[in-house]
Structure formats: structure tokens, C-alpha cells
Amino acid sequence: GVASLIDILILNSQEFWSGTSSVAARPETSTKVVTRGNVTITQTMSTVAGARSMVLEERVDGVLRSRTTMHQA
């Protein structure tokens, strides 16, 4: 619920921008999914050759509503 949403939106964003995990070491690609009612948020974080990227997808009733991609070299 709320803890998962905080984890995705705050802690993982902190990890993305700082390059360090505030909780534990992560694999090179990690995916988290949070569903509330008919809305699903999927976050995929990956690191390739030191460059990090994060993709957030919002689906409503299974239909993609928005996608945000961030890259950091």
C-alpha cells in the first residue's frame, strides 16, 4: 500500500539520482509494481556501463496511460 508507493516514488528515486541505495544493493535491473484499484504503476530501473535509467509506467484498466523515462550518464 502506502509503504510500497513511498518506496517507489521516494527511496528508488533517491537511489536513481544518487547512484547509491538507501536500503540495500540492487541488481543491475529491478522492477517494482504497485496496484491500487484499477491503476498500476510499474517502475523499472537499470544500470548499463555505469549509466542509469528509470522508466515509470502508469496503466489504468490495463491500458498504458503514461510513460516517463529518465536517464543519467
Side-chain angles (χ1 to χ4, degrees), residues 4-67:
S4 296
L5 206 52
I6 289 172
D7 183 39
I8 281 181
L9 296 177
I10 297 174
L11 298 178
N12 285 335
S13 294
Q14 176 186 0
E15 177 183 345
F16 174 77
W17 291 112
S18 70
T20 59
S21 173
S22 60
V23 179
R26 300 268 191 248
E28 291 211 11
T29 298
S30 63
T31 301
K32 292 190 177 189
V33 178
V34 175
T35 301
R36 289 200 112 180
N38 64 340
V39 178
T40 301
I41 304 291
T42 303
Q43 176 196 51
T44 304
M45 295 178 59
S46 60
T47 302
V48 177
R52 292 185 298 274
S53 66
M54 180 169 63
V55 178
L56 291 172
E57 292 183 339
E58 177 189 23
R59 294 182 183 272
V60 178
D61 294 323
V63 177
L64 183 64
R65 181 172 170 193
S66 68
R67 177 182 291 140

